[in-house]
Structure formats: C-alpha cells, structure tokens
Amino acid sequence: MRLDGENFELASIALDRTPLGKKDYKLSDGGLTLLKPPAGPFTLEIVTFVDPEANKALSGLYRTNNVYCTQCEAEGFRRITYFPDRPDVMAVFTTRVEADKDEAPVLLANGNFVRGGDVAGTNRHFAVWHDPFPKPCYLFALVGGKLGCVADTFTTMSGRTVELRIYVEPGKEDRCGYALDALKRAMRWDEEKFGREYDLDIFMIVAVSDFNMGAMENKGLNIFNDKYVLASPATATDNDYAGVEAVIAHEYFHNWTGNRITCRDWFQLSLKEGLTVFRDQEFTADERSRAVERIADVRTLRANQFVEDAGPLAHPVRPALYHEINNFYTPTVYEKGAEVVRMLSVLVGRDGFRRGMDLYFTRHDGHAATVEDFIACFADANGADLSQFMRWYAQAGTPELTVTGTFDRKAKTFRLDVAQTVPATPGQPVKEPMTIPLALGLVGADGRDLPLVRANGARVARGVLTISKPAESFTFTGIAERPTLSLNRGFAAPIKVSVNAGADDLKFLAAHDCDPFNRWQAVQSLATGLLIEAVTARGGKPQAEAGLIDALAAILADDALEPAFVAQALGLPSEADIARDIGREVDPDAVFRARRALRERIGGALNDRLSALHRRMSDNAPYRPDAASAGRRALKNACLDLLAADGGDAGITLAARQFAGADNMTDRMAALTTLSLYDRPERAAAIDDFYRRFAGDPLVIDKWFALQAAIPEPATLERVRQLTAHPAFSFANPNRLRALIGAFAQLNQTQFNRPDGAGYDFLAETALALDGKNPQVAARLLSAFKSWRALEPGRRARAEATLRRVAAAQSLSRDTADIVRRALGEQTADDGRS
Ligand code: 0A1
Ligand code: ZN
C-alpha cells in the first residue's frame, strides 16, 4: 500500500498499535510503501514533524503573518503526513488541534465544532472538529492563530440556522462587512437558482496575507487571500469589491460543485472549476447587470484564455497529460471550462439545464465524478446526444467560424454559409468539427429582429442554430429587405467569427442591436479594425475613424443605456487585445502608438460630451459599493481617461484635482492611473502622495507597485528593479510579487517586450531566484512568455534565448521546468502523467 508524503520528518508509524520497523515499510522518493498491509481493516497511526515557518512554498502547513494555516489543493496534504493524496480517496476527517493559548487562541478545522478546552498543567489548549461529509484530503484545512472575528447567522431554506464567521488579522474586522454580505447573498442565490442548501452547522472564512492563489474552498473552512475579503471605501476600488463578491461566491458554490461532488482525478479539474466559475458568473449577472458582466467576462476570456489557446501553452479544457498539476489552474480550465458549461445551457435551454444539474446532484452526491458523468446528466435529463459536444473538453484551440450572408431580394431569402475550423495546437495537429451553438439575429432596417424561419417553415428555437459540420448552409425565408447580421449574440460560444460585413454594418449594430453584448462588440470591432490598419500601416495614424466616433457619440447620447455599459463601450481594446488580433510579427511599440493616437482623437472629437458626462456622473453622495453607483464611477473615469488622452493641461489638471479630492479608492486610483500614463510633474507628486497616505496598508501599496510597473516608458524597468528593494516589497509574499513583477510582465506590453530583451531577462532572473522557494508562483510569472512566438523576429529571438537560459538552469522545480519546456515546444508527450 503506497502513501504519498514529502518534506516532513517521520517520527513514528504504528499498525494496530504496534510500532513498525524499517523492514515493514519502504521510504522512497515522495512516499511510503507498507510492504505487508493486512488484508482486513486496520488502524495506521503516523506521527510527523513539519516546519511551517520554513515552508515558503505556501503548500501544506505553513505560517503567514504569525497564523498557522494549510493549503492542500492540489497535492499539499502529502506535505503534512503520509496519505493516499488523490481526490477519489474520500474520508471522514476528525481533527484535533492543540497549541499554545497565547500564540494561537483561535483553533479551527473542517466541519462542526465538537469540543475544546485547556490541556491540564500547560499553557496549551485544544479543539476537536468533525466533518461528517467524506472528502478528499485536498479539502482538508486547519488554522491556528490570533485572529479577529466577525460573526452572523444564516437561516437556510429548510429553516436551519447556520453560524457564519469571518476571521481576519485583529484590527481589520471593520473591512469584512461586504464579504459577509456577499456570502449571505450567495447562500440564498444557490438555494433559489439551484436548490442547494448549506449542510454544516457553521461556515468559516479565514483571510491570510500570504496565499498562492485567490482562495480555497476547504469544507466548512474556506481560506482566502486577504485581497478577496477585506474591503473599505478608502482602500478598495469598485473592481476590488466586485472581486470580493465573486470569489466569496465562487468558494461557497464549491460546497456543492467540488466538495459534495468532487473530481475523480486532476484531469477532471474543470468539472469543478469550469462549473463553479459559470455559477459565480451567473450569480454576478443576477446581482449586478447581466450585459455588463458578460462583457467583462468575455474581455477576461479573450485577454487570458484566447491568448493561451493561440500559443505554446495551449491545452484542452480537460488535459490529457500533465507534468505538474499546479500549472493547470489556467484560464483554459477555469474560464473556457465555464464557457463550455454556458454553451451546454444554451443548447438544452434554461429549464433543461436545471434538470441536468438536478440529476447531477442526485446521481453523484458524495462521489468523485468525471466530465463524462456530468455531461451524461444533461444528455439523460433532456434526451440529447452530446457525444460531439465532448470535443470541447478534448480539443484545444479557439474554433474559427467564417460566415457569409447572401440576401436574395427576389426570392426574399437570406442564406448563411458557415464554415468552421479549429487551429492546430501542441500535440493536436488535426481537429474534428465541433458542436457550436450559434446565437444570431437578422436585424431589419428599423432595428428590429426579423423572424428566423427556415426554408422548411421551422422557426429557429431561441435564435440558436447548432453548427456541427465543417461547412453548412442555412436559408431563412420571408426576408423582404437586406438585413444586418448579428452573430454569436451574448457571446454564446467561445469562438472567433469572421463575417462579410463592413464598417457600416458595425455602426448600425452599435446603434440598434437588441443584444447589448453585440452592440458593445460592434464598437470593439470598429476600433480593432482601425487599430490594426494603423499598426500595419507602420505607425500611420488611424484613418476614417469617423464611423467609430459617430458610434461612440450615439452611445453617449443614449440615456436608456446603463452607465456601466457605456463605460465598457468607451474602453478601447487593450494593447494585448490588438496584438492578439494581429496574431503574428507583433511590434508592441507600434500597437502602443496606434492605440494612444486613437484615444487622443476620440478624446478630442468628443471632448465636450465627455466633460459634461464626467460632471454628470460625479456626485457628492457618500460612497456605496452597489453596482449602479459603481457603474456611474466607471463611466466618469472612462471619460476622464479619454479627456486626458492628449496629455494636455486640461485633462491632467482634471485628473490631478480628482486624485487630490477623491473620497474613495475607485476615483483616486482611476485618477492616478490616468496621471501615470504621462510624464508630467503631477505624476510624481501624486505617486508620492499616494504612498504617504497608504504606507502600512499592504493591499493598497500593491496598487502603488502595480501602477508604477505598468508605466509605458523606458525608465520603468529600472524603476521596477529599484522597487524590489523598497521596504514594503517582499519576494516571499505572492501578492507583492504579482503586483510588481506580475503587473510589469502582464500589463506593460511595451516595457516587458523591450526590443533589447532586458524585460525578459529581468523576469527570468526574478523567477529563477524565486523558484527554489515558491515554485508555483515562479512558474506562474513565467507564463507571461505564453505569446512570445507571435512577436516580430527581433523580440522573438530575445525571448527564446531567455527561455533557453531558464530551461538550462540547475535544479529547476518541476513547475518551472514544465512551463519553460512547453513554452519552447520541447515537452515530449511520453513522460508526464496521463
Ligand atoms: N480551488 C481554488 C483554487 C486553488 C487552487 C490551488 C491552490 O493552491 C495551490 C489554491 C487555490 C479555487 O478555484 O478557488
Ligand atoms: Zn474554484
């Protein structure tokens, strides 16, 4: 019988109370094998010593800010004791925690509290917790330390009272209100939308300051990066509040999708993650604005997942092979996984989706399931054949749809010719056609949708065509006028679409499409077209932007639109978005120049309207984090950004004034971000002022680090180097690293991709220095190289040379070796776990 275990000292091991000797077991790399385990049931007692203080990988049992805590997903439990560390081994855990009373007055573990008390004759105390639900060890957790607590209760749908507690660093209790409120709303939503009730007597959240990821769904005892718990108007932006709400909900929703039903093995990771991201996105859509949430989610998907899917780190939603599972907590497994679940809901409809979920919960509760199990529930509950749909889990790469619309005035028909391809990805040169739900509309001249009636007289149900072949045609009848095609409404499928439509069609859709997502998309497509033209014309100014500016003006003038939507429409595609759409031979400096020039022209052309709107969206009411108020601030700050786009006195003065006078972090940070883009004296003054105001508040100082790392100027690399020596910086803290180094590599396209390669070298140096301590975070930083092959030849060569140097370094962690080898296209398919 083999048990996993590493990085601790074995003190003793006994079988049915009899100590085992060296001949009874074998210790090998990464585990212990019992040589003659009894055939029947037996009791194995293992005593180990671990050193939490020395644990800088933040996996297993570690110490952060004097608090002991654990992180066991994916394979951290084996760093605590010997155990079959795999998610299909589920057990009932009873945990007794004992500690010095002064050092750790709070002692927590999974499940319900059983008993606690003093240990006679010592200054120690103990607590016993029992979790009645069988679970895999990756959901195990314990915490001990000096912590403040905010408590509340929740009455479940069946009338049970559940105790809610959020534990934070003492003194930070007043920043937990929003998280607690979000938790209660998430609990209610899961009851109402999915019929899921909470199942223990208590639900606890602990916020810690050193954490590799966002948060962790340990049964009954979620452990959070404090960034996703703590929020106050003076220290958190609207986006931070939205992040707290989404992550609180996400971890809570895992109680059913992940914990009650877990994964058979780590290849099924998207079974819990894709589904739970889908659930948290739906929660936010219901709590805030569905249209705005969809736009924001698609922006994130394209920025992170489309890029991953187009580069050397591309992998299927369900990978077939991995070297290090920690490298697969990716945008593909999470965000594309959520898109796959969303497509399922489009294909079977809302009620059909609920039927499938209900069946999934009854059929698999208490078990470790697979993606096949999940999909079978939707097939069985709806009599649907989803066998081709399974390809979404197996084939990597973003499918591309080419659509041609042909109007026949005489026959009053409109024909759609649709062809699909899926690009080759590492290890998958040839692809099969996918099932794609294509949501569409034919928009008439008056802006209203024409009925979608097929040649056989059938209406297209819910406006969705199901595409399944490499090429197919659809004819709609009774079309008296040439319609405008609105494709992939709501972004129902995570694909790229190209269509024979021109700028006039886009302008029309921007003004009239009844699908808000496609109104936004039309503006983006207009802007993208102009920007790509400008970049490929080698630094020329965008021509013919009148259409875009008209479209924006119409949106600004439309009072029926919610401010948050208008703010999204004003946000041009990012530099990374443009680079991705260009796809090859990218020169980040040319992209930057084109984007800056276009912003300047828009700001100039719409100056009066933007100024008026900036004033109209400002109010003197006290800060409230709700979606409507946040939307007004988003619009106000989108206006500010464009008003300052020429770097001239008027816009900069406006930003400087807003910075100084702001009563909340959203407005202050937005003004500072605008100022940060222009090398003017107001910038340095504001950066200093910001530091003085918030020194000693690490989460706010992270914003200060990130802002400086993102300045698009050649001096930034040196500034970032110097900031690594700043007293507020620490290589041991993942949030600090992500703020300074991560922002530099991911947000600063021109400076990370400096033509001299110094940005690449800096990232490589940092990652190598970190690799021996925290390999997970080191590997994640290096994933910034995921699109190096799309660069122009000079930068491409420098990036490749840097990656080769890292690959050749001595004693690389498995995490980092895996990322750089795959980035280089060197990984072979025969030496991973499959
Ligand atoms: N399951 C968590 C993500 C997570 C994964 C790994 C971790 O440690 C290495 C921590 C958290 C979630 O989806 O929120
Ligand atoms: Zn998750």
Side-chain angles (χ1 to χ4, degrees):
M1 179 176 153
R2 166 154 170 119
L3 305 173
D4 303 296
E6 62 194 27
N7 272 74
F8 55 73
E9 197 185 306
L10 176 62
S12 66
I13 175 164
L15 203 154
D16 288 332
R17 306 250 158 212
T18 310
L20 294 184
K22 287 270 189 287
K23 58 183 184 332
D24 301 317
Y25 60 87
K26 202 176 92 202
L27 291 180
S28 57
D29 213 21
L32 176 149
T33 307
L34 285 187
L35 297 173
K36 282 179 252 110
F42 60 93
T43 302
L44 188 66
E45 287 166 80
I46 299 173
V47 178
T48 62
F49 288 117
V50 303
D51 184 353
E53 193 76 51
N55 181 351
K56 300 299 174 205
L58 313 186
S59 161
L61 176 60
Y62 67 96
R63 203 161 187 216
T64 156
N65 213 3
N66 294 324
V67 175
Y68 295 96
C69 74
T70 53
Q71 171 54 44
C72 294
E73 189 178 5
E75 297 176 335
F77 193 76
R78 66 182 62 183
R79 292 163 60 92
I80 300 174
T81 188
Y82 289 110
F83 198 78
D85 189 357
R86 40 186 286 172
D88 60 341
V89 175
M90 298 169 79
V92 171
F93 285 73
T94 303
T95 309
R96 182 181 181 282
V97 199
E98 185 190 307
D100 184 279
K101 277 195 246 179
D102 300 318
E103 192 182 14
V106 173
L107 298 174
L108 311 172
N110 310 92
N112 296 319
F113 179 74
V114 180
R115 65 181 175 278
D118 291 346
V119 179
T122 68
N123 190 40
R124 294 169 75 79
H125 69 154
F126 73 96
V128 177
W129 293 81
H130 175 74
D131 178 5
F133 295 96
K135 66 169 177 286
C137 65
Y138 83 84
L139 291 171
F140 171 86
L142 70 77
V143 168
K146 267 196 208 104
L147 291 159
C149 178
V150 176
D152 202 341
T153 59
F154 178 83
T155 306
T156 69
M157 61 201 280
S158 72
R160 282 187 312 107
T161 302
V162 175
E163 169 113 21
L164 309 178
R165 286 193 207 153
I166 300 186
Y167 289 94
V168 292
E169 188 185 316
K172 300 262 167 82
E173 293 87 345
D174 59 345
R175 295 192 191 180
C176 297
Y178 190 76
L180 193 53
D181 178 59
L183 173 62
K184 289 185 284 185
R185 286 185 284 120
M187 294 177 85
R188 191 62 75 211
W189 185 90
D190 214 13
E191 294 184 343
E192 285 168 359
K193 292 292 149 125
F194 286 100
R196 297 298 108 198
E197 187 176 354
Y198 186 63
D199 51 9
L200 290 165
D201 301 338
I202 181 165
F203 185 80
M204 298 175 283
I205 290 173
V206 179
V208 300
S209 50
D210 298 83
F211 199 75
N212 279 348
M213 309 276 271
M216 180 62 211
E217 70 263 25
N218 317 301
K219 183 79 186 188
L221 178 56
N222 288 186
I223 297 181
F224 270 61
N225 186 322
D226 55 9
K227 175 178 165 59
Y228 292 109
V229 174
L230 304 175
S232 72
T235 59
T237 63
D238 290 329
N239 281 340
D240 295 330
Y241 275 90
V244 168
E245 180 181 76
V247 179
I248 292 270
H250 179 99
E251 305 310 331
Y252 175 73
F253 296 154
H254 267 314
N255 190 54
W256 276 95
T257 50
N259 300 3
R260 288 286 289 254
I261 305 180
T262 194
C263 300
R264 187 190 68 182
D265 50 65
W266 291 121
F267 296 104
Q268 321 298 324
L269 182 57
S270 195
L271 174 71
K272 74 175 175 83
E273 296 304 347
L275 177 55
T276 305
V277 171
F278 170 77
R279 276 151 54 69
D280 83 55
Q281 290 178 348
E282 285 296 291
F283 169 69
T284 308
D286 285 344
E287 295 288 302
R288 293 172 174 241
S289 150
R290 185 158 286 272
V292 173
E293 169 69 3
R294 191 65 190 133
I295 293 166
D297 289 341
V298 173
R299 270 190 195 274
T300 314
L301 179 81
R302 285 179 172 150
N304 302 322
Q305 201 281 324
F306 276 29
V307 184
E308 183 167 87
D309 236 356
L313 299 182
H315 56 273
V317 170
R318 179 166 61 177
L321 171 129
Y322 62 78
H323 293 255
E324 171 50 66
I325 189 58
N326 286 319
N327 285 342
F328 282 86
Y329 289 79
T330 58
T332 297
V333 168
Y334 275 65
E335 272 84 33
K336 187 175 181 181
E339 294 300 321
V340 175
V341 176
R342 181 175 302 280
M343 278 188 286
L344 200 54
S345 77
V346 173
L347 286 169
V348 302
R350 204 184 58 186
D351 297 342
F353 186 74
R354 176 67 197 262
R355 278 195 296 277
M357 288 297 292
D358 286 349
L359 182 57
Y360 179 60
F361 290 126
T362 28
R363 207 184 254 180
H364 298 289
D365 185 16
H367 295 111
T370 62
V371 166
E372 279 79 5
D373 292 334
F374 176 67
I375 296 297
C377 292
F378 294 87
D380 294 352
N382 295 285
D385 177 1
L386 294 169
S387 44
Q388 189 186 5
F389 186 78
M390 285 300 292
R391 286 184 190 151
W392 280 103
Y393 288 100
Q395 294 195 143
T398 307
E400 294 174 13
L401 229 52
T402 307
V403 182
T404 314
T406 313
F407 174 54
D408 183 334
R409 190 174 301 276
K410 263 221 233 84
K412 296 205 171 113
T413 59
F414 190 80
R415 196 183 76 234
L416 274 189
D417 297 304
V418 183
Q420 63 158 303
T421 54
V422 184
T425 49
Q428 297 188 330
V430 182
K431 306 287 165 93
E432 302 292 330
M434 311 278 260
T435 297
I436 298 173
L438 182 62
L440 80 167
L442 301 182
V443 188
D446 62 356
R448 275 198 264 187
D449 275 14
L450 306 173
L452 293 176
V453 183
R454 301 278 296 275
N456 61 5
R459 273 188 97 108
V460 177
R462 300 189 299 271
V464 179
L465 293 173
T466 305
I467 309 293
S468 59
K469 304 195 183 80
E472 47 202 311
S473 298
F474 304 87
T475 301
F476 303 103
T477 57
I479 310 288
E481 48 171 322
R482 182 190 169 278
T484 305
L485 242 182
S486 172
L487 287 173
N488 203 17
R489 282 185 161 167
F491 205 73
I495 58 174
K496 295 182 185 167
V497 181
S498 67
V499 54
N500 64 329
D504 284 346
D505 294 315
L506 292 173
K507 203 173 140 185
F508 179 80
L509 292 176
H512 299 295
D513 201 321
C514 68
D515 179 56
F517 179 85
N518 269 5
R519 280 187 82 173
W520 170 82
Q521 180 61 57
V523 177
Q524 292 288 299
S525 300
L526 277 171
T528 303
L530 289 170
L531 289 161
I532 291 182
E533 213 172 275
V535 172
T536 45
R538 301 251 162 253
K541 275 195 176 170
Q543 299 300 311
E545 66 250 20
L548 172 65
I549 289 171
D550 287 353
L552 288 174
I555 284 179
L556 289 180
D558 187 344
D559 283 333
L561 292 170
E562 30 176 356
F565 176 89
V566 180
Q568 288 284 2
L570 287 180
L572 288 186
S574 70
E575 290 160 56
D577 288 332
I578 303 161
R580 189 192 61 244
D581 280 330
I582 293 173
R584 47 195 297 274
E585 311 288 315
V586 172
D587 171 358
D589 290 325
V591 172
F592 176 80
R593 283 194 300 271
R595 188 173 184 277
R596 184 162 270 204
L598 183 58
R599 285 174 60 237
E600 189 174 338
R601 303 274 281 246
I602 295 171
L606 299 174
N607 191 287
D608 293 349
R609 274 167 270 201
L610 293 167
S611 301
L613 207 49
H614 181 266
R615 273 194 304 278
R616 192 141 64 81
M617 291 295 126
S618 311
D619 57 35
N620 296 321
Y623 176 91
R624 287 176 44 217
D626 64 282
S629 316
R632 292 171 64 85
R633 282 185 291 270
L635 179 51
K636 167 169 107 180
N637 291 318
C639 292
L640 175 68
D641 194 53
L642 285 170
L643 286 167
D646 63 356
D649 290 341
I652 296 296
T653 307
L654 190 63
R657 215 180 294 137
Q658 178 172 319
F659 174 81
D663 72 342
N664 65 80
M665 182 53 84
T666 305
D667 287 338
R668 192 181 306 282
M669 197 63 209
L672 184 60
T673 303
T674 293
L675 288 173
S676 77
L677 300 174
Y678 309 95
D679 185 8
R680 298 186 39 133
E682 291 88 342
R683 172 170 80 189
I687 289 176
D688 289 347
D689 177 86
F690 190 92
Y691 184 77
R692 278 195 303 275
R693 275 176 204 264
F694 298 106
D697 200 327
L699 290 178
V700 183
I701 295 306
D702 282 346
K703 300 179 192 301
W704 184 78
F705 282 128
L707 174 113
Q708 296 180 78
I711 295 176
E713 290 167 16
T716 294
L717 177 57
E718 190 45 39
R719 186 196 280 258
V720 172
R721 267 188 202 287
Q722 282 172 10
L723 285 171
T724 60
H726 191 281
F729 186 77
S730 157
F731 277 96
N733 178 279
N735 286 0
R736 294 311 83 77
L737 281 164
R738 282 186 284 254
L740 186 63
I741 319 291
F744 175 71
Q746 316 243 332
L747 303 181
N748 199 334
Q749 296 289 312
T750 58
Q751 302 314 304
F752 173 57
N753 294 297
R754 281 164 63 116
D756 63 3
Y760 305 144
D761 289 342
F762 171 70
L763 185 66
E765 260 168 53
T766 311
L768 284 174
L770 186 63
D771 195 42
K773 297 204 171 76
N774 190 335
Q776 279 181 33
V777 173
R780 251 167 199 270
L781 287 179
L782 286 168
S783 67
F785 281 104
K786 63 180 169 289
S787 36
W788 70 274
R789 280 182 200 278
L791 295 161
E792 52 78 26
R795 289 172 171 90
R796 202 190 316 149
R798 301 236 182 240
E800 179 168 8
T802 305
L803 282 169
R804 292 206 183 284
R805 261 203 314 285
V806 177
Q810 297 290 303
S811 57
L812 279 188
S813 68
R814 194 169 54 213
D815 309 57
T816 290
D818 171 51
I819 291 286
V820 293
R821 286 190 193 136
R822 278 193 289 140
L824 285 165
E826 278 178 354
Q827 175 181 281
T828 52
D830 54 13
D831 57 351
R833 287 199 247 176
S834 58

